Amino acid sequence: MSELRSIIGGTTKKSLVLIDEICRGTETAKGTCIAGSIIETLDRIGCLGIVSTHLHGIFTLPLNINNTVHKAMGTTFIDGQTIPTWKLTDGVCRESLAFETA
């Protein structure tokens, strides 16, 4: 959280912000709300950024965002198994490759 506070405190319209697994160490429901608030803040600042998350509940929050675009890692199904394509696609990712990765 202190890292995120520093990032937001120093972010301007000219910033590039990269956040991997936002709120990963926080309980899911509270982490989802905090992550949503951070995304709203970054959207309001107008910076360019990428935020990754497994907190899929964030996509059902009524966020006040105007400049945010959702992207997902593409996948394909081969022999009943989900395989990443490593291509960025439009839309929201609602699946996890955690079991396949493990």
Side-chain angles (χ1 to χ4, degrees), residues 21-100:
E21 286 307 325
I22 192 169
C23 298
R24 67 184 168 273
T26 309
E27 179 266 325
T28 304
K30 290 180 179 123
T32 299
C33 292
I34 293 167
S37 178
I38 292 166
I39 290 170
E40 284 181 325
T41 301
L42 295 173
D43 184 86
R44 188 171 46 254
I45 292 169
C47 64
L48 180 61
I50 298 174
V51 176
S52 72
T53 185
H54 281 93
L55 299 171
H56 295 159
I58 199 168
F59 302 115
T60 60
L61 294 176
L63 298 180
N64 183 15
I65 52 177
N66 299 308
N67 303 304
T68 299
V69 178
H70 296 107
K71 297 286 185 177
M73 181 177 59
T75 57
T76 187
F77 296 97
I78 299 174
D79 297 326
Q81 188 175 7
T82 304
I83 308 291
T85 63
W86 308 111
K87 294 180 181 178
L88 199 58
T89 61
D90 291 331
V92 173
C93 178
R94 298 212 182 263
E95 58 191 36
S96 170
L97 298 176
F99 288 123
E100 289 82 359

